[in-house]
Amino acid sequence: MTDNVKPSPDTGRSRIQAPAVLDAVRSRGVQRLDELLKSMFGRLESIVFEWARTLPDSEQQPYMDVIVVVRTKRAEMESRFIAGMATAFMQLLQGAAEKKTTAQGGLGAVDFSSLSLVNTDEMDISVMVDTMVARARMDYAASLGLLRRRYAHVLSKVEITDRNMPLDPGPVTSAFKDTLSLLDVGVPEKLLVLRVFQQQLLGELGGLLDEANQLFIDAGVLPELKVAFAGGAAAKKPAASKTEAAAKPQAANTEEIFSFLQGLLGQGVMPGMPGVPGAGAMPGLPAGAAGMPVGTSYPSMPGAQFHAGHYVGGGGIGAIPAATIGGSVAAVPIAPLNIAPTAVVQTVATPELVALLSQIQQHQPKAKLAEDDSSPSVEAVRGNIRDSLRSDEEAVEAIKQADEDVINLVSMLFDFILDDDDLPTAMKALIGRLQIPLLKVAILDKSFFNAETHPARRLLNALAKAGIGWSNSGQGDDVLYAKIEEVVFRILNEFIDELDLFEELLDEFTAFHEQQQKREDAVDKRTRETEEGRARAELARAMVQQTLNRRLTGRQLPLVVVKLLQDAWRNVLYINCLKDGTESEAWKQSVKVVDALIWSVVPQPGGEWKQRLADVAPKLVNSIKKGLAAVSYDVLKTETLLRELSQVHLGLMRGEEARTVNVLDARNARAEAPGQVAAAEVAGSDAASVAAVVLPEAEQLPAQVEAPLSGDDQNVLLVSRLNVGSWVEFIEPEKQDRHKLVARIRSVDKLIFANRRGIKVGEMTGMKLAVDMSVGRARVVEEGEFIDRALESVIGNLRDLGSKAVPGSK
């Protein structure tokens, strides 16, 4: 990066020289955030009013209060928010170092004048803010990671973190949280405003992150990372398959495709043959070939027969030969075999073709898969159609080109569907039985191909999506699976040519599945809450013990101090860590009490320490008493411990030497040493008999080990974008199982998986899943609209093949 610099717009202050791209990102970032905030406030009243309408009248007043107070304070809030964001950008340019508390927390630096317990009135706001920020960072992980790398590249001397990168959800949310102090309302009302902020501003942050990355790319900052870029709203969706991505720019429009193919015929690529309407001939065959004498050498058409001057069964779609398309179209052309020389070609009218297909439909498997797991292949269906066409000495039936094109499109569609690994095997078996009904739908109503809202398409998409979580094992007494079977059998038994049946079945199945989904969501929510609570508790316990071990190990302290900290005060530390986290003021205050307590029993030379102790001791005892009362610690034990502590303080102030014990960790303790007790037993121990206390080992916190995959690896990025509710297939030599991601716990990098019934089946880190995906042991199941994706792929491939068939095309 060259030193292309631009002075800061701030006047009256020293001007900071920074690369122009940073100024561009700052300017655009502040501008867009201002626009988003104004848009949020513009919608806030209607959003809050809609929320209030769903509540009883007695509960609507807080919502009305929010509307009134925000209306009066909006201008001030907008001004403070933008000022806060401008400050965040400026601090980054100044390289402002974050203030960090050292691990040992130097006792001499304790500010005893501020010893107090945290005010818990704002606890719910802090918890919600932390949750919002964590979720947003997860949603935009890919974009944030790339933006952080680009900032670090430009500001090589500044450590770029989540806290000092201005467009990170943390600083953005913190700036808005500061504006809440302007609102003269209670905590519930402020939480309501935060909900609107999360929905209307944080939910739109992805677009701004995309713009910021693009500004860096345009300025030449790490442009090679552009190929891995996937931010904003795209980060919230499963990654599109290569086929889908290629087809997306051009929507599936069958009328357009047929017109395109007819255009090929008109260009002379494949002139139409007389006799069979729309029947195709090979390129190069001259017009009027129908009258060519016997013995003339005719060009060959893959998958078709030339008979009596006509090609019977073109095999391909329009101008594209079956052999080029491949698959079932080339394997089984729609043309009778062994046509008699004397047979006359007869065209099958569309109503006659539908009647013929209805006859074939009557012979499709209709028993439950548990009794008969057979399902006709695409080749078998095409063979049934071909075998049903008349072919004797007098006549041979040929399907009109337009209808044959539809049959071939549907064949290729099912080739794709039944080869789609994202569809479970059981679902493929059921959908495979619907080939003939779907073929009749496409022939009767060609809008099936280009209307995403077509009821038949929507129904098939709904059935496939509902069954996404099935494993290859049996269905058993699964209610959902039984319902899907019921829908399939009703189509097979009832559908002749009335398309209204699909609308009826769609409404019925949608209502049923929504009820099932509500039950599944409730089970998933309970599992998620349980696992998240367990993870937070484990992390809090580990953090508390590590904090105590770092401060106590290797010291000689009065036994009452060890009892106070290890048996009593650890409860205060645990609650504050669990509720507020280690960055909260509550946690810092509770750790400050630990440091102050240790300081108060470690004599310092000179009289100044005693004088200071006399001043601090009452304040310290009062803080401990309040803290233990807040966590409902036993009152009698509290009084006893504080009385003993006060006696130690008095003795030290008189110059007496306090009786102490050695504090050891489990690694340094000697087995069965005299007078040595475990910390868990110290509460009931007699001070006279205790010489040493052994602290328990802290539970292991998530270790920062060297990752086997880099942060910009495609599997790591995919896992980072994986949303709760996504399905993952785990592949083993003997079996394949599908599990749903029901919880993502970022604090310990843990992914929790459950089966379709919501029962937890496993857990792993995000990196472990990325590694498994990189070696083929796992893959994310794509959950899009299956039928739409198949259709877009088929028509996209036809466009490519057709363009190559046009002379002069590239």
Side-chain angles (χ1 to χ4, degrees):
M1 186 76 188
T2 59
D3 293 333
N4 183 12
V5 297
K6 183 176 182 179
S8 169
D10 294 337
T11 58
R13 300 166 59 180
S14 60
R15 304 176 108 190
I16 300 171
Q17 298 294 314
V21 65
L22 296 183
D23 191 58
V25 172
R26 177 199 59 77
S27 177
R28 183 56 179 160
V30 172
Q31 177 190 350
R32 285 287 292 122
L33 287 170
D34 186 40
E35 293 171 356
L36 289 172
L37 188 67
K38 283 182 167 59
S39 174
M40 184 203 84
F41 279 127
R43 297 181 181 180
L44 183 141
E45 292 190 15
S46 60
I47 292 172
V48 173
F49 184 76
E50 284 300 317
W51 289 348
R53 288 178 57 187
T54 63
L55 300 175
D57 293 345
S58 58
E59 298 178 16
Q60 292 183 6
Q61 189 56 46
Y63 290 72
M64 299 301 104
D65 293 342
V66 165
I67 291 175
V68 173
V69 73
V70 169
R71 187 182 299 162
T72 60
K73 295 291 185 179
R74 171 176 173 174
E76 292 180 61
M77 294 178 73
E78 289 178 354
S79 177
R80 180 174 292 191
F81 176 79
I82 295 304
M85 291 310 305
T87 300
F89 278 98
M90 184 57 62
Q91 287 177 340
L92 178 63
L93 294 182
Q94 292 172 334
E98 295 182 20
K99 297 179 181 179
K100 298 182 179 179
T101 305
T102 60
Q104 288 291 340
L107 297 178
V110 178
D111 180 10
F112 298 104
S113 62
S114 63
L115 264 177
S116 62
L117 293 176
V118 71
N119 181 359
T120 58
D121 290 344
E122 300 292 316
M123 182 185 303
D124 289 341
I125 292 179
S126 298
V127 171
M128 183 172 181
V129 166
D130 290 345
T131 303
M132 289 165 51
V133 171
R135 177 57 188 268
R137 283 174 177 163
M138 179 177 67
D139 288 343
Y140 307 127
S143 296
L144 287 169
L146 297 179
L147 189 59
R148 190 180 302 111
R149 290 183 63 183
R150 290 186 169 112
Y151 261 117
H153 182 79
V154 177
L155 298 174
S156 57
K157 295 184 179 179
V158 179
E159 181 185 2
I160 306 299
T161 68
D162 291 341
R163 296 183 198 171
N164 68 1
M165 190 169 71
L167 294 181
D168 181 90
V172 174
T173 305
S174 179
F176 184 78
K177 179 187 174 186
D178 288 344
T179 70
L180 297 179
S181 62
L182 296 171
L183 302 180
D184 188 17
V185 291
V187 171
E189 289 77 9
K190 292 180 180 179
L191 293 177
L192 195 62
V193 178
L194 276 174
R195 283 174 58 195
V196 179
F197 171 80
Q198 181 182 22
Q199 179 188 99
Q200 296 295 314
L201 197 148
L202 273 192
E204 300 297 325
L205 191 61
L208 176 53
L209 296 174
D210 290 356
E211 289 187 48
N213 270 297
Q214 191 60 49
L215 286 171
F216 277 109
I217 292 171
D218 294 342
V221 180
L222 300 181
E224 66 275 11
L225 297 181
K226 187 174 182 180
V227 293
F229 180 75
K236 298 180 182 180
K237 301 178 182 178
S241 66
K242 294 179 181 178
T243 303
E244 180 183 6
K248 275 291 182 186
Q250 303 181 63
N253 188 315
T254 307
E255 293 180 1
E256 175 192 339
I257 281 292
F258 285 152
S259 298
F260 165 73
L261 296 174
Q262 290 168 5
L264 292 182
L265 296 174
Q267 292 172 22
V269 179
M270 183 177 291
M273 290 296 298
V276 180
M282 281 299 292
L285 183 64
M292 295 180 73
V294 178
T296 303
S297 176
Y298 301 110
S300 63
M301 171 177 281
Q305 298 184 51
F306 189 78
H307 172 71
H310 306 295
Y311 274 98
V312 180
I317 294 187
I320 305 175
T324 305
I325 299 171
S328 60
V329 176
V332 185
I334 304 297
L337 301 174
N338 304 318
I339 300 174
T342 57
V344 177
V345 177
Q346 296 179 350
T347 302
V348 178
T350 298
E352 295 174 356
L353 176 60
V354 172
L356 181 150
L357 294 173
S358 294
Q359 292 177 6
I360 299 175
Q361 181 178 319
Q362 296 302 315
H363 298 90
Q364 297 296 292
K366 296 179 183 178
K368 294 184 177 181
L369 287 185
E371 303 168 3
D372 178 8
D373 62 357
S374 65
S375 183
S377 66
V378 181
E379 289 84 353
V381 170
R382 293 178 63 84
N384 288 336
I385 297 173
R386 181 187 61 193
D387 295 342
S388 299
L389 296 174
R390 179 183 177 185
S391 179
D392 53 33
E393 294 182 356
E394 296 181 357
V396 56
E397 290 183 330
I399 297 175
K400 292 188 300 183
Q401 183 68 59
D403 289 337
E404 185 173 352
D405 283 345
V406 172
I407 294 174
N408 290 332
L409 266 178
V410 173
S411 295
M412 289 186 286
L413 177 67
F414 272 92
D415 278 336
F416 184 95
I417 292 172
L418 300 181
D419 195 41
D420 189 347
D421 290 337
D422 292 321
L423 272 177
T425 301
M427 197 69 242
K428 290 180 184 179
L430 284 176
I431 288 185
R433 296 184 177 189
L434 294 178
Q435 291 181 64
I436 294 296
L438 195 63
L439 181 53
K440 290 198 297 181
V441 170
I443 290 174
L444 291 167
D445 181 9
K446 291 186 174 59
S447 69
F448 169 82
F449 292 106
N450 57 309
E452 293 182 0
T453 58
H454 195 288
R457 275 175 66 169
R458 290 173 60 201
L459 178 60
L460 288 173
N461 279 326
L463 296 178
K465 194 170 184 178
I468 190 66
W470 282 325
S471 296
N472 290 340
S473 54
Q475 295 76 48
D477 58 351
D478 192 302
V479 177
L480 177 60
Y481 187 85
K483 183 64 178 179
I484 295 178
E485 273 193 332
E486 176 189 326
V487 172
V488 171
F489 294 150
R490 281 196 61 186
I491 294 173
L492 289 173
N493 291 322
E494 300 178 22
F495 176 59
I496 303 300
D497 55 11
E498 293 293 332
L499 298 176
D500 291 345
L501 176 64
F502 288 91
E503 189 78 52
E504 175 189 339
L505 291 175
L506 175 63
D507 293 341
E508 182 182 314
F509 181 77
T510 300
F512 170 84
H513 187 234
E514 285 177 354
Q515 291 296 324
Q516 290 287 315
Q517 197 62 48
K518 287 179 181 178
R519 296 191 186 98
E520 290 183 16
D521 291 344
V523 175
D524 289 348
K525 182 180 179 181
R526 286 197 295 271
T527 303
R528 181 163 55 252
E529 290 175 347
T530 299
E531 292 299 326
E532 289 175 348
R534 180 181 293 119
R536 286 197 302 270
E538 291 175 355
L539 185 62
R541 281 194 296 268
M543 180 60 69
V544 167
Q545 196 59 57
Q546 278 198 7
T547 300
L548 291 176
N549 285 5
R550 283 199 299 265
R551 284 162 169 78
L552 298 178
T553 300
R555 294 187 181 274
Q556 292 184 329
L557 300 170
L559 185 60
V560 65
V561 173
V562 181
K563 287 182 179 181
L564 255 172
L565 295 177
Q566 185 62 36
D567 185 56
W569 195 252
R570 67 179 292 110
N571 297 293
V572 179
L573 291 167
Y574 173 76
I575 293 298
N576 289 336
C577 182
L578 187 63
K579 288 186 176 180
D580 302 320
T582 56
E583 298 298 322
S584 67
E585 189 61 29
W587 168 263
K588 293 175 182 177
Q589 286 286 344
S590 57
V591 172
K592 188 182 292 185
V593 169
V594 175
D595 293 335
L597 179 56
I598 296 173
W599 174 89
S600 72
V601 295
V602 179
Q604 308 278 330
E608 182 182 346
W609 178 82
K610 293 180 182 179
Q611 184 177 355
R612 196 177 180 195
L613 176 60
D615 202 34
V616 167
K619 200 180 297 185
L620 176 61
V621 169
N622 185 53
S623 290
I624 295 174
K625 187 174 183 179
K626 285 184 179 179
L628 295 180
V631 297
S632 302
Y633 189 74
D634 185 272
V635 176
L636 183 58
K637 288 183 178 179
T638 298
E639 293 295 337
T640 302
L641 289 170
L642 293 180
R643 186 168 53 253
E644 292 180 17
L645 177 62
S646 296
Q647 291 172 355
V648 171
H649 285 160
L650 287 173
L652 291 172
M653 284 186 282
R654 295 188 191 119
E656 299 172 2
E657 185 175 343
R659 178 182 175 83
T660 61
V661 297
N662 290 322
V663 185
L664 310 173
D665 63 18
R667 292 170 298 180
N668 298 332
R670 291 182 300 160
E672 299 181 0
Q676 180 176 289
V677 298
E681 304 168 359
V682 74
S685 301
D686 181 13
S689 62
V690 177
V693 177
V694 181
L695 298 176
E697 286 191 54
E699 298 176 34
Q700 291 297 314
L701 292 172
Q704 296 297 321
V705 298
E706 183 177 353
L709 300 176
S710 63
D712 57 356
D713 179 87
Q714 61 177 354
N715 294 298
V716 174
L717 293 175
L718 180 56
V719 171
S720 73
R721 295 193 297 265
L722 202 60
N723 293 327
V724 169
S726 300
W727 287 90
V728 177
E729 185 173 69
F730 295 93
I731 304 164
E732 300 178 9
E734 301 295 329
K735 63 176 181 177
Q736 296 179 358
D737 285 320
R738 295 188 175 195
H739 300 147
K740 182 162 64 172
L741 178 63
V742 294
R744 179 169 205 150
I745 307 168
R746 288 185 66 84
S747 58
V748 291
D749 185 26
K750 184 182 292 185
L751 306 176
I752 307 296
F753 291 93
N755 59 20
R756 286 190 60 245
R757 300 180 186 274
I759 301 172
K760 178 183 173 182
V761 293
E763 62 181 54
M764 63 176 60
T765 65
M767 184 57 70
K768 172 65 166 59
L769 177 59
V771 171
D772 284 352
M773 289 168 57
S774 69
V775 297
R777 290 196 298 265
R779 69 180 190 87
V780 177
V781 179
E782 222 170 304
E783 295 184 62
E785 305 297 333
F786 289 91
I787 308 303
D788 294 353
R789 188 170 74 232
L791 190 57
E792 287 169 358
S793 173
V794 167
I795 293 181
N797 290 339
L798 286 177
R799 279 196 182 93
D800 293 341
L801 291 171
S803 65
K804 294 175 183 177
V806 178
S809 66
K810 294 181 180 181

